[in-house]
Amino acid sequence: MTTKKTEEATTLEARLTRARDRLAQQHGHRSGKEVVRRYSEDIDRLIQTHINDLIRQNPEFKEVTERCVLIATGGYGRRELNLHSDIDLLFLFREEPTEVCEEFIRAFLYPMWNLKIDLGYGIKTLEQAYGEICSDLDFTTSMTGIHPIWGNEEIAQQLQDHLRIETVTRKSSKVMDQILSRMYGRHLKHSDTLLLLEPNIKDARGGLRDFHVILWAAFCHFGQGTLSILTNKGLLTTREERSLRRAHSFLLELRNGLHLMEGRKTDALNFERQMKLAPELGHDLKAHVLPEEQLMRSYYEHVGAIDRLLGRLLKRLSSEESQSEAGRAGRLRRRRIEGEFWTRDNLVWVDPREVNTVVRNPDWMMHLFTVCAQRGLLVDDFTLNLVEQHLHEIDEAYRRSPLNRDRFLGILRNPKQCIATLRQMHACRFLDTYLPEFALVRNLPRIDYYHQFTVDEHLLRSVECAGQLVDHENGFYRSHAGSVARDLLRWDLLVFALLFHDVGKGEGRGHVIRGSHMIQRIAERLSMTKKETEILYQLVLNHQRMSFMALRRNPEDPKVPEELAKDISDPELLRMLYVLTCCDLRSVSEQSWNDWRGSLLSSLFERAMDFLRGEGEKIRRSAPSHRSVTEKVMKEVQENPATGEEGSRELRREEVEEFLRDMPSRYRRSTPPQLVARHVRMTQRLNEQELVTWELEQAPGSSYAILHCVASDNPGLFCNLCGALASRGFNILSAQIYTAKNGVCVDVFQIQDADRQPPSDIGALERLRVKLNQVLLGERPGKWKDLLPRRAQPISAARLDQFPPSVSISNDDSTENYTVLEVKAPDRPGLLYDITSLLDQHRLNIHLALIATESYQGVDVFYITDWENNRLEKDAKTEAFREELLEVVSPDSTIGAEEESAS
């Protein structure tokens, strides 16, 4: 590089550094929109100065000024350039570029590339650009918000004029259909909800890309991609426009914070980034709300506004088009229902000409939602806005009204229809206003051991799950919970409890006790009967009870269902609690429900019901016999060819029966016949040189795969299994272990790869199995710890204070033979391996393990004995072991508030 070029590159780099420094200085002190606009203008000046320097050094480049215009496109064109956003440029020529033009472009690009920025560029003539309009969606949308940086601006104006003609007058519907199709695909990719705990602020529902859809819709219909044109056309109110501008600016500020923190382009707002960004954006620790939870609550408010107003805008645009096409015929289809309400096309509304009459009595609002729930209809946008405008009329007398109470309970009696109504009541804040306790959890991201969604979204999803139990088109309908649910007598009380079972989280820790008292106060305020109040209180108070007993305690222990039956002594209340538990667990996250957990819950429910019927003795013989299961397995073998490794011989009845006879009864109860057959075949492959075999089973529609492992019992076997999987970056979501009397171990793991996706590399798994087998044979050391991926990121001290690691060792609620060890800790690579390694070092036997890893937290329960198969005594030695284990599972380091701000 010549000296002149070196100086030029240095000058450009210095200008870029100054621009980025200004952005960093302004971040947090000016609005996000203003910061990115100023940074975009700084980049404009950098490019303009660069071009002027080129022309001064090469006078022949001056002719390019008339032939070409350099245009900023995409986000840069809209002047919303974040720190590490792509800088997209278009060299647009009226005619084919000359050699001088091409030389100019090369001279322009080389120094820009040396800046190591994400520079995207295109070179087109007007004719070429015309050809891509409406046929290339990315190009079309990128052209709706542009600004010329340098050159002949008339060329840019010609392109804009042609773009308006094509999109507005000729192909508006085609372009909008493509935009919406891509938008819906994006939403599905991100769980089709804006209430994810770790959202992508650009592509998730309600994010920056959805804001851009609003601008693109404005351009396609009116030729201007601005919010102001929508307001001028009456499609947005002034208040709605302000709300969108605030949301847009908030997201831009958040994105700048991410770019500054990471030093690169990123849009994933994960937990660790939330913790670092929250103090930086002015959020301090409050009594029971962490800074990152405050930040995310603001995020959900803003993306909720974008999502809601985008939906309304699309409906209004669609309504205008359909009215213009249908004309008078469309008006004839509407009809009056329930006096003041009209309906057409599955929507209910209040006639604008009758508003003054309707709103005289505020009871019309609850009546409106009752009509919708009964008829399976939705409220139209105008009427929802009307409800929002009259929320101030809901006072204490309104809340205590028996009429409104009965109407509200009537909404809840049909779980299949009520979820859509409840979501609209929540969206317009009617639900929060009528039942103020629900406002405590609105957009509340409680980061705990399980949940994937905000508290309010989880509660609404649990109601949605209840509706699936009575919907014959849904697979959940055919579950054991579905058969129990359809016999319930008071669906309204069950749905009420589902809607409020976690509402206590809005007041901080101890949400079960807080929530049970809150639901009691609500029921008393609504003047519900003493029996109804007690049912709601018991459901909320015990909503974690069944899942705790089924998933964290020995399912074979008769004491477990007996204790449940004593505490929940009414059969109908037990049925309601069982259905509530299934719906609650199913709505926690995408990984929270599986057939294994369902079988444990249904088994616990049936055995507790046996106690209530006076048939407690049946529990001792409730597990199916090995002979009865053998019959089912052999029938499965006859109906379906052998699966697994080629060359597996046919199964004989005797070996299946022998295998099942030696397995624990809980294996026979919880394992389907086809899996029993698979495990027996895998056992055939074991010998003196092959101590372990495994097979991977994909779980369609899930983010994990199932690893079936069969091995000969070996000291430290489970520890080595966990270490081997951790060494390859696999995350163990849950594990079920079974040890037969003859020493064969069957372990079933639900695992993800390092990218939280189902593992698919069979070759890598086989190489890992070979290595594990060598360790079990003693041919190589099992130094799995040295192979573990990098440790997890440091954890916020505030978060650790909110959810500290814990280790409990108890003999009180276990069987007579085992000690229960329960470990709760932040998840990290190798956590389970570290736990089981320490157990192995202390020569403690694992008889039962209930493993769960959800939402970055491990909740693991082990039934253990010492090396002589005795329970652990409550003494100094056991306490020392507990302290040692607590140190092992505690995070390596934490981040304090000052460090968070600094980073």
Side-chain angles (χ1 to χ4, degrees):
M1 183 180 287
T2 64
T3 303
K4 182 178 292 186
K5 288 183 178 180
T6 303
E7 292 174 355
E8 183 179 356
T10 303
T11 303
L12 282 176
E13 187 174 347
R15 289 168 185 160
L16 179 62
T17 300
R18 285 196 298 271
R20 288 180 167 177
D21 288 345
R22 275 195 293 270
L23 182 147
Q25 292 166 6
Q26 294 170 0
H27 175 66
H29 300 286
R30 299 181 183 274
S31 72
K33 178 63 178 174
E34 186 176 358
V35 170
V36 298
R37 179 182 58 78
R38 291 188 176 206
Y39 181 60
S40 300
E41 291 171 351
D42 282 345
I43 299 301
D44 284 352
R45 285 190 285 272
L46 181 151
I47 290 174
Q48 290 162 355
T49 303
H50 175 41
I51 292 176
N52 290 336
D53 288 344
L54 289 175
I55 294 175
R56 187 170 56 255
Q57 296 165 12
N58 303 276
E60 68 272 16
F61 287 167
K62 192 169 185 179
E63 70 172 74
V64 183
T65 306
E66 290 300 316
R67 293 176 176 272
C68 173
V69 61
L70 180 60
I71 299 173
T73 68
Y76 181 23
R78 293 185 296 270
R79 288 192 171 90
E80 54 182 55
L81 201 58
N82 293 106
L83 182 62
H84 293 289
S85 295
D86 295 345
I87 297 177
D88 293 322
L89 302 171
L90 174 63
F91 294 91
L92 185 64
F93 291 86
R94 197 188 303 276
E95 298 171 347
E96 286 291 337
T98 64
E99 289 185 9
V100 172
C101 295
E102 292 174 352
E103 186 180 344
F104 164 77
I105 293 173
R106 286 193 294 270
F108 171 84
L109 289 175
Y110 287 143
M112 295 293 291
W113 283 333
N114 290 333
L115 296 177
K116 297 181 181 179
I117 57 178
D118 289 323
L119 180 67
Y121 75 97
I123 305 171
K124 298 183 188 299
T125 64
L126 273 174
E127 185 177 353
Q128 290 170 335
Y130 292 166
E132 293 189 21
I133 289 174
C134 297
S135 61
D136 184 326
L137 182 62
D138 289 332
F139 180 77
T140 304
T141 53
S142 70
M143 291 297 106
T144 59
I146 63 172
H147 70 267
I149 302 173
W150 167 88
N152 189 343
E153 295 187 8
E154 289 184 5
I155 303 175
Q157 188 61 51
Q158 284 182 257
L159 178 62
Q160 282 278 284
D161 293 342
H162 186 85
L163 182 67
R164 290 190 180 94
I165 293 172
E166 288 295 305
T167 55
V168 178
T169 63
R170 296 179 183 174
K171 298 177 181 176
S172 174
S173 297
K174 175 186 174 183
V175 174
M176 279 306 303
D177 286 346
Q178 293 176 11
I179 290 171
L180 296 181
S181 176
R182 185 173 291 185
M183 180 186 77
Y184 296 137
R186 258 193 308 104
H187 290 176
L188 286 175
K189 185 178 178 181
H190 294 274
S191 299
D192 200 23
T193 179
L194 48 84
L195 296 177
L196 286 168
L197 293 185
E198 293 187 298
N200 181 298
I201 66 172
K202 179 181 178 182
D203 290 332
R205 189 165 174 172
L208 281 167
R209 190 58 83 205
D210 277 7
F211 179 83
H212 299 155
V213 171
I214 295 175
L215 302 183
W216 297 337
F219 194 97
C220 286
H221 284 83
F222 308 111
Q224 295 180 36
T226 64
L227 296 181
S228 56
I229 188 66
L230 295 172
T231 304
N232 293 339
K233 296 292 183 179
L235 293 167
L236 289 178
T237 65
T238 303
R239 187 182 66 164
E240 289 172 339
E241 181 184 342
R242 284 200 302 269
S243 178
L244 285 171
R245 292 189 185 280
R246 285 195 299 269
H248 183 221
S249 187
F250 172 85
L251 290 176
L252 290 173
E253 181 178 33
L254 205 55
R255 199 176 192 218
N256 267 335
L258 285 173
H259 286 200
L260 281 165
M261 182 175 65
E262 294 295 312
R264 61 185 178 86
K265 178 174 62 177
T266 182
D267 298 304
L269 191 57
N270 63 27
F271 291 144
E272 299 306 323
R273 291 167 184 168
Q274 292 169 25
M275 288 187 288
K276 293 178 181 179
L277 277 176
E280 177 186 306
L281 297 179
H283 298 285
D284 300 319
L285 180 64
K286 294 183 179 178
H288 57 267
V289 184
L290 295 171
E292 59 266 31
E293 292 175 337
Q294 299 170 43
L295 169 68
M296 294 309 294
R297 211 164 189 177
S298 297
Y299 169 83
Y300 297 127
E301 287 289 342
H302 287 302
V303 296
I306 292 175
D307 183 68
R308 185 172 61 256
L309 294 175
L310 171 59
R312 289 183 184 179
L313 173 65
L314 295 176
K315 286 179 184 176
R316 290 167 184 171
L317 291 171
S318 176
S319 175
E320 285 190 355
E321 291 176 359
S322 62
Q323 285 180 12
S324 63
E325 293 172 4
R328 184 171 176 274
R331 291 192 292 273
L332 292 176
R333 288 196 298 271
R334 70 176 189 172
R335 58 190 176 87
R336 186 186 289 271
I337 56 172
E338 299 284 339
E340 64 261 44
F341 303 125
W342 292 79
T343 182
R344 184 185 65 211
D345 298 333
N346 296 320
L347 293 176
V348 176
W349 75 89
V350 173
D351 192 317
R353 295 168 296 185
E354 301 175 355
V355 166
N356 292 334
T357 303
V358 171
V359 301
R360 289 175 183 172
N361 183 350
D363 289 345
W364 72 271
M365 290 181 278
M366 187 68 81
H367 188 199
L368 167 71
F369 292 115
T370 305
V371 169
C372 290
Q374 289 173 344
R375 298 171 182 260
L377 303 172
L378 295 174
V379 184
D380 88 315
D381 290 335
F382 167 78
T383 307
L384 272 182
N385 277 331
L386 192 63
V387 171
E388 291 183 53
Q389 294 167 18
H390 289 269
L391 290 177
H392 64 278
E393 298 175 9
I394 299 178
D395 54 15
E396 197 62 18
Y398 188 100
R399 297 185 184 100
R400 293 180 178 274
S401 163
L403 175 62
N404 288 325
R405 174 203 62 205
D406 292 343
R407 284 175 169 171
F408 181 68
L409 292 177
I411 292 172
L412 305 184
R413 285 193 187 99
N414 187 343
K416 185 178 176 181
Q417 300 286 359
C418 75
I419 182 60
T421 302
L422 287 173
R423 284 194 178 278
Q424 286 204 301
M425 294 168 74
H426 184 43
C428 71
R429 294 184 179 270
F430 176 85
L431 184 61
D432 305 12
T433 310
Y434 177 61
L435 298 169
E437 292 81 359
F438 203 81
L440 296 173
V441 296
R442 184 181 187 89
N443 296 334
L444 181 63
R446 271 289 179 245
I447 318 280
D448 57 20
Y449 292 115
Y450 302 106
H451 292 80
Q452 180 182 2
F453 308 103
T454 58
V455 178
D456 54 338
E457 176 66 9
H458 163 64
L459 294 174
L460 291 168
R461 282 177 178 247
S462 69
V463 173
E464 192 170 15
C465 286
Q468 294 170 356
L469 291 171
V470 293
D471 181 3
H472 67 277
E473 295 181 358
N474 191 282
F476 202 27
Y477 175 91
R478 293 179 289 278
S479 66
H480 179 269
S483 62
V484 174
R486 291 187 290 278
D487 291 333
L488 292 178
L489 302 176
R490 291 297 304 270
W491 267 101
D492 52 344
L493 297 182
L494 173 66
V495 175
F496 204 148
L498 280 168
L499 193 60
F500 279 84
H501 71 270
D502 274 350
V503 78
K505 291 181 178 179
E507 291 188 344
R509 299 182 183 181
H511 81 277
V512 174
I513 298 297
R514 293 177 186 273
S516 60
H517 290 310
M518 289 168 73
I519 196 73
Q520 194 174 37
R521 292 196 300 269
I522 293 170
E524 291 170 354
R525 184 172 70 229
L526 298 179
S527 299
M528 300 177 74
T529 67
K530 186 176 181 179
K531 183 177 180 180
E532 292 170 334
T533 302
E534 181 64 15
I535 290 173
L536 290 172
Y537 174 79
Q538 290 294 335
L539 288 175
V540 175
L541 181 66
N542 293 287
H543 78 268
Q544 292 184 330
R545 191 77 180 278
M546 286 192 74
S547 60
F548 175 87
M549 288 180 159
L551 306 180
R552 299 195 203 172
R553 290 298 176 259
N554 183 3
E556 295 301 307
D557 186 355
K559 293 181 181 179
V560 175
E562 183 177 11
E563 180 185 342
L564 179 63
K566 287 179 180 179
D567 293 341
I568 311 296
S569 56
D570 179 71
E572 180 66 9
L573 182 60
L574 182 59
R575 292 187 190 95
M576 296 174 77
L577 183 61
Y578 169 57
V579 175
L580 182 147
T581 303
C582 292
C583 294
D584 180 19
L585 186 60
R586 190 176 172 90
S587 58
V588 160
S589 71
E590 295 175 354
Q591 294 85 32
S592 60
W593 180 266
N594 54 42
D595 291 340
W596 173 70
R597 291 180 176 177
S599 70
L600 292 179
L601 282 169
S602 62
S603 174
L604 174 61
F605 166 75
E606 291 294 350
R607 296 162 84 208
M609 288 296 289
D610 285 341
F611 269 109
L612 291 181
R613 299 187 193 103
E615 301 173 351
E617 191 61 31
K618 182 188 293 185
I619 292 178
R620 302 186 184 280
R621 56 179 187 274
S622 59
S625 69
H626 60 274
R627 290 189 179 89
S628 64
V629 178
T630 297
E631 291 298 327
K632 295 178 181 177
V633 172
M634 296 312 297
K635 182 180 179 182
E636 170 69 23
V637 169
Q638 291 171 4
E639 293 177 354
N640 299 290
T643 57
E645 191 176 89
E646 289 186 15
S648 294
R649 59 179 173 80
E650 292 187 5
L651 297 183
R652 297 194 305 270
R653 180 182 301 274
E654 298 78 26
E655 61 186 353
V656 174
E657 189 170 333
E658 181 182 356
F659 175 84
L660 288 167
R661 184 190 298 116
D662 289 336
M663 294 301 290
S665 57
R666 60 188 176 87
Y667 176 85
R668 299 197 297 271
R669 178 185 294 112
S670 61
T671 309
Q674 66 270 22
L675 290 187
V676 174
R678 183 176 202 154
H679 295 158
V680 176
R681 289 193 179 96
M682 292 173 68
T683 305
Q684 295 173 351
R685 305 205 292 270
L686 297 179
N687 54 51
E688 292 183 356
Q689 293 302 312
E690 293 293 338
L691 300 184
V692 61
T693 182
W694 59 33
E695 291 180 0
L696 189 69
E697 177 191 357
Q698 297 298 331
S702 300
S703 61
Y704 62 88
I706 302 169
L707 185 68
H708 299 270
C709 176
V710 177
S712 299
D713 198 11
N714 189 294
L717 171 63
F718 190 64
C719 169
N720 278 297
L721 279 168
C722 297
L725 292 172
S727 72
R728 292 289 301 185
F730 293 122
N731 185 30
I732 301 174
L733 299 178
S734 65
Q736 302 90 55
I737 67 173
Y738 310 93
T739 303
K741 296 175 185 177
N742 63 1
V744 172
C745 294
V746 177
D747 298 339
V748 181
F749 298 91
Q750 284 77 41
I751 61 175
Q752 293 177 323
D753 63 18
D755 297 320
R756 301 182 197 167
Q757 297 300 315
S760 57
D761 190 342
I762 304 299
L765 274 168
E766 176 57 21
R767 290 190 294 274
L768 182 62
R769 188 202 65 80
V770 171
K771 184 183 298 184
L772 172 61
N773 192 65
Q774 292 171 341
V775 171
L776 297 178
L777 287 170
E779 296 175 355
R780 63 184 300 167
K783 295 183 178 180
W784 304 114
K785 200 175 187 70
D786 298 337
L787 302 174
L788 293 179
R790 65 179 180 84
R791 311 298 279 182
Q793 292 293 323
I795 294 176
S796 161
R799 181 189 297 279
L800 200 61
D801 180 63
Q802 191 85 343
F803 304 108
S806 66
V807 175
S808 67
I809 300 174
S810 171
N811 292 325
D812 297 335
D813 53 3
S814 68
T815 63
E816 296 178 357
N817 301 319
Y818 308 115
T819 292
V820 176
L821 169 66
E822 183 175 282
V823 182
K824 297 179 182 178
D827 190 32
R828 56 171 168 76
L831 174 64
L832 186 56
Y833 172 64
D834 286 346
I835 295 172
T836 53
S837 291
L838 190 64
L839 291 173
D840 191 44
Q841 290 172 27
H842 284 263
R843 301 178 68 188
L844 298 175
N845 298 318
I846 302 174
H847 298 270
L848 170 66
L850 302 169
I851 308 301
T853 305
E854 295 154 336
S855 291
Y856 307 93
Q857 296 287 343
V859 185
D860 303 332
V861 177
F862 305 89
Y863 276 63
I864 60 174
T865 61
D866 64 18
W867 68 281
E868 294 180 330
N869 284 327
N870 297 317
R871 294 199 300 178
L872 275 62
E873 298 297 329
K874 191 174 183 180
D875 54 20
K877 182 179 179 182
T878 300
E879 177 59 22
F881 164 70
R882 193 192 71 81
E883 291 290 341
E884 186 178 356
L885 182 54
L886 184 60
E887 183 177 351
V888 165
V889 302
S890 296
D892 293 336
S893 59
T894 59
I895 303 174
E898 293 181 2
E899 292 173 284
E900 288 186 26
S901 299
S903 51

